[in-house]
Amino acid sequence: MMALLKRDMRLAVRAGGGFGLGLSFFLIVVVLIPFGVGPETGLLGRIAPGVLWVAALLACLLSLDRVFSLDFEDGSLDLLATSPLPLEGVVAIKAIAHWLTTGLPLVFAAPVFALLMSLPVNGYSALVVSLFLGTPALSVIGAFGAALTVGIKRGGLLLSLLVLPLYVPTLIFGAEVSRRGAEGQDYTTPLLMLAGVSFAALALLPFASAAVLRVNLR
Amino acid sequence: MASIWEYANPLKFMRTSETILPFVAWGASICLVVGLIWGFFFTPDDFRQGSTVKIFYIHVPSAMMAINIWVMMLITSLVWIIRRHHVSALAARAAAPIGAVMTLIALYTGAVWGQPMWGTWWAWDPRLTSFLILFLFYLGYMALWAAIENDDTAADLTSVLCLVGSVFALLSRYAVNFWNQGLHQGASLSLDKQENVADVFWYPALVAIAGFVLLFVTLVIIRTNTEIRARRSRALLARERMS
Amino acid sequence: MELVVDNLGVARGGIPVLEGVSFSVSAGQALVLRGPNGIGKTTLLRTLAGLQAPLSGKISLDREAMAYAAHVDGIKTTLTVEENLHFWASVFDVPEIESAISAFELEALRTRSAGMLSAGQKRRLGLARLMVTGRPVWILDEPTVSLDQAAVAMFGEVIKRHLASGGMAIMATHIDLGLEDAVTFDLGHLKATSNLAENFDEAFL
């Protein structure tokens, strides 16, 4: 299992843009938003939590189709499926690798982007915590979508159509945590819900993804 | 007593369903015509909402069907996953577009009703938002069916998507409630008489709902039989190619 | 140890292609599958490897005993030869990769990234992967594609050694690997025939 994680991380780094691509996309979205809505600091600060969350979600979506499709094309997935590793574990590891290369960098970079979006200073911790707890769910749910579309040529658009509705609860709770944080309200409830969504997705969805992968491999 | 699983045989399903189809279709037409005419012309106007309230006879049944059809798809998907009956998977596939259209009708009539009542065509109210999300789920489900060539693979994948989607749809419903308290009134109809609308509205509404259910059954039988025939001809063609 | 396949039926894309496939392979034996293109050799091999379920029949050994090698090798082009083998070795819990490297004469290519290999070298690496699975039954789908004569001989030697140590091999190949006591199994007469007129439901299989 660790070997698989190590390999996936190595591949992401060597392919170039494993870490960088999602971050750059995040940056571009954050730069474009003020052009769209105007440079007024108050407005930007108010929409910052939502914008940052939607940007994180899209950045995550960007690299999803690579989670399984590369391994599918070069036959590695067949070999992994016949290996001693349980396919559920393979799926979970690949989702974690995806999170480490896209979700986690976003968590660390979030304060900088929050600064660009004039998020009130007291909202920073809530934003970082919400991204830290929420982005794993994005990767795990995304891996499920990637498993569904692995056999489909040019499945990228379909993948977005399937995955984005599944992202709704995570987005709502995540953005709510960071919005309440920015407004200085108590955000315990949405934070617990967000963590619940993340952990439940991490615990249960790999089974669905593995089942779907088996269907796609046969 | 014959087992219900006998109808898992496509031929048996087609024979039986085509025998009952005319009755169901007539039932649907009669219920719809009676329910809607009764509702539109023979019920009093609401004292506050005037005659706009009458869109209720389309809005409520279609909204109920939008949810019920998804539940039906969930059940047939489970039957496919557990018992591998092809008719079940094809029925789910046949039902999806009908469900999507019902969702659209509910959203559209809701907008038409909302404009005079709330002064807006659209608000990010929990119920409205949930229906929009439900519509997205229908779209994704249909797109996945359309994207996969192998029928059994498509049936398997869409069934799992339906299962996972149901959980997330339910979760979204709660999340959306949490996110925004809305304009929409509570459920208009319930079995508990205390909260119910008056009888004069209730009976035509029941007839209209029965009409929508029968309409759905009619359409789903026709579409399922079409899917069975299409599936069979594809299988025959594929075999011919291979031999 | 013996692999017994009894009355196996397999399907491709939901359509039965082979039926009544029965054979047995004992330790140290190799089985070569023959048959025209499209008869279902790959489908049969994938079923044996446990990647798809058989329509009917039994396979006596568990999928845990099988090592599968297909047209594509599962080689990552951005990793080096050594890293590729190390990865599969640790997935299969095999401690060393040196014998695999020397058997396919990959010593000089050790630190080269797999993307820089020629097709034949890549194939050698793909076959070397079999040796780090530590599994007794090798399932090989056209293993000699893009190998030159020297490499084919190299591969023949590896298979002989694998068989001598009690392993088995089932392969679809048209090339003679110099295995003296390999059994040839012809699939030509096992093409699936089902009577559609009798059973409507059949068209759904």
Side-chain angles (χ1 to χ4, degrees):
Chain A
M1 293 285 227
M2 282 319 287
L4 180 60
L5 185 62
K6 221 166 83 186
R7 181 194 75 148
D8 270 22
M9 299 297 292
R10 200 178 260 162
L11 287 174
V13 174
R14 295 228 180 125
F19 288 96
L21 209 62
L23 270 183
S24 328
F25 181 80
F26 202 52
L27 175 67
I28 290 171
V29 173
V30 168
V31 169
L32 289 180
I33 292 292
F35 296 143
V37 303
E40 188 205 327
T41 314
L43 176 65
L44 283 179
R46 214 163 56 248
I47 64 171
V51 167
L52 291 171
W53 254 95
V54 172
L57 198 143
L58 294 177
C60 184
L61 195 66
L62 206 62
S63 49
L64 272 183
D65 61 332
R66 298 163 60 102
V67 174
F68 296 115
S69 65
L70 296 180
D71 278 349
F72 181 73
E73 280 157 21
D74 69 14
S76 305
L77 210 53
D78 278 346
L79 302 175
L80 283 171
T82 55
S83 79
L85 301 180
L87 201 53
E88 288 79 8
V90 169
V91 172
I93 291 288
K94 286 194 148 287
I96 290 171
H98 179 261
W99 179 69
L100 289 174
T101 49
T102 52
L104 197 60
L106 292 191
V107 175
F108 287 119
V112 182
F113 297 114
L115 186 81
L116 286 174
M117 288 295 294
S118 334
L119 186 77
V121 179
N122 50 3
Y124 279 34
S125 57
L127 176 71
V128 171
V129 169
S130 71
L131 282 174
F132 183 74
L133 281 176
T135 44
L138 300 183
S139 290
V140 178
I141 297 167
F144 171 67
L148 276 176
T149 53
V150 73
I152 302 170
K153 295 248 168 356
R154 301 183 208 292
L157 197 62
L158 179 64
L159 177 64
S160 326
L161 184 61
L162 296 179
V163 163
L164 286 175
L166 299 177
Y167 277 171
V168 169
T170 320
L171 173 65
I172 288 180
F173 292 126
E176 186 72 8
V177 169
S178 102
R179 188 184 64 78
R180 288 194 185 183
E183 289 171 4
Q185 299 171 15
D186 175 44
Y187 53 79
T188 323
T189 319
L191 191 66
L192 287 177
M193 302 293 268
L194 182 66
V197 172
S198 267
F199 287 124
L202 195 56
L204 300 175
L205 265 183
F207 292 96
S209 314
V212 158
L213 270 186
R214 284 201 187 94
V215 171
N216 269 326
L217 286 180
R218 84 185 171 205
Chain B
M1 182 65 200
S3 155
I4 186 178
W5 301 117
E6 274 184 21
Y7 297 96
N9 179 307
L11 195 58
K12 173 102 177 157
F13 177 85
M14 280 172 72
R15 279 202 194 121
T16 315
S17 64
E18 274 169 5
T19 328
I20 63 167
L21 186 61
F23 300 100
V24 183
W26 275 108
S29 326
I30 292 168
C31 284
L32 279 177
V33 169
V34 169
L36 293 182
I37 289 181
W38 185 0
F40 286 162
F41 301 109
F42 299 99
T43 55
D45 286 355
D46 186 83
F47 73 97
R48 271 184 298 124
Q49 307 189 13
S51 58
T52 52
V53 75
K54 289 180 174 173
I55 204 163
F56 160 96
Y57 298 105
I58 296 175
H59 180 68
V60 173
S62 59
M64 287 173 80
M65 288 317 291
I67 296 168
N68 291 344
I69 290 172
W70 185 272
V71 174
M72 173 259 181
M73 283 160 55
L74 174 63
I75 294 167
T76 47
S77 296
L78 277 172
V79 170
W80 162 251
I81 289 177
I82 297 166
R83 303 202 48 148
R84 320 280 310 163
H85 294 322
H86 289 91
V87 173
S88 189
L90 293 178
R93 177 180 192 169
I98 311 174
V101 170
M102 288 294 177
T103 317
L104 267 189
I105 293 175
L107 284 169
Y108 174 76
T109 51
V112 170
W113 194 4
Q115 164 58 16
M117 286 307 101
W118 306 329
T120 173
W121 297 98
W122 178 259
W124 289 95
D125 163 276
R127 271 174 195 253
L128 277 65
T129 314
S130 308
F131 263 76
L132 201 55
I133 296 170
L134 181 63
F135 183 62
L136 295 179
F137 275 109
Y138 274 120
L139 286 187
Y141 179 89
M142 291 188 291
L144 189 61
W145 261 112
I148 300 165
E149 260 171 55
N150 184 299
D151 292 294
D152 276 356
T153 307
D156 280 332
L157 298 184
T158 51
S159 297
V160 179
L161 178 67
C162 185
L163 250 65
V164 173
S166 303
V167 175
F168 276 88
L170 214 60
L171 200 60
S172 304
R173 180 81 182 93
Y174 284 104
V176 164
N177 256 340
F178 177 84
W179 163 74
N180 191 1
Q181 313 301 324
L183 297 163
H184 201 290
Q185 55 189 309
S188 308
L189 299 177
S190 79
L191 292 175
D192 183 3
K193 274 282 177 189
Q194 289 298 311
E195 308 171 7
N196 218 335
V197 292
D199 280 357
V200 269
F201 302 115
W202 172 231
Y203 293 122
L206 267 188
V207 178
I209 289 169
F212 268 80
V213 172
L214 290 173
L215 174 66
F216 166 67
V217 175
T218 310
L219 292 175
V220 98
I221 286 177
I222 294 172
R223 290 184 52 87
T224 307
N225 285 342
T226 312
E227 294 285 353
I228 292 174
R229 290 201 176 92
R231 170 78 200 251
R232 179 166 156 76
S233 59
R234 273 199 300 278
L236 287 170
L237 273 177
R239 288 195 178 201
E240 210 158 86
R241 261 205 313 278
M242 293 184 67
S243 58
Chain C
M1 184 157 45
E2 192 181 27
L3 171 66
V4 183
V5 170
D6 183 28
N7 205 17
L8 198 71
V10 299
R12 177 173 64 230
I15 296 151
V17 287
L18 290 171
E19 61 188 13
V21 180
S22 302
F23 57 79
S24 68
V25 186
S26 51
Q29 212 182 5
L31 185 79
V32 178
L33 300 177
R34 290 276 157 82
N37 287 335
I39 188 81
K41 292 189 291 281
T42 298
T43 312
L44 178 60
L45 291 174
R46 285 180 73 85
T47 310
L48 289 175
L51 283 165
Q52 58 181 73
L55 276 184
S56 57
K58 274 201 212 82
I59 305 167
S60 70
L61 287 179
D62 195 64
R63 50 186 279 185
E64 297 282 308
M66 319 283 186
Y68 175 65
H71 306 281
V72 280
D73 299 310
I75 300 297
K76 288 292 170 194
T77 49
T78 45
L79 299 183
T80 66
V81 169
E82 220 172 16
E83 282 169 340
N84 268 306
L85 281 178
H86 262 307
F87 167 66
W88 289 111
S90 53
V91 165
F92 285 89
D93 221 7
V94 168
E96 57 95 37
I97 61 167
E98 290 313 313
S99 53
I101 286 189
S102 61
F104 284 93
E105 292 172 16
L106 293 165
E107 291 92 344
L109 306 170
R110 230 174 236 285
T111 55
R112 190 180 298 183
S113 94
M116 306 293 288
L117 298 179
S118 74
Q121 289 168 330
K122 213 166 156 184
R123 193 72 201 150
R124 265 152 65 195
L125 174 56
L127 293 170
R129 190 192 53 81
L130 284 168
M131 298 183 66
V132 301
T133 58
R135 289 187 166 178
V137 186
W138 287 4
I139 295 177
L140 308 162
D141 197 352
E142 300 289 356
T144 52
V145 171
S146 65
L147 289 184
D148 60 15
Q149 263 181 347
V152 169
M154 209 185 284
F155 178 53
E157 278 309 306
V158 169
I159 292 208
K160 272 181 208 156
R161 248 180 295 149
H162 176 63
L163 297 178
S165 67
M168 301 172 220
I170 300 170
M171 57 188 113
T173 182
H174 298 283
I175 290 183
D176 183 24
L177 287 168
L179 305 168
E180 287 88 12
D181 41 347
V183 181
T184 305
F185 187 75
D186 195 359
L187 294 169
H189 61 289
L190 295 171
K191 204 171 168 64
T193 51
S194 303
N195 194 346
L196 288 176
E198 273 173 26
N199 186 356
F200 184 94
D201 218 8
E202 269 289 286
F204 272 70
L205 279 174

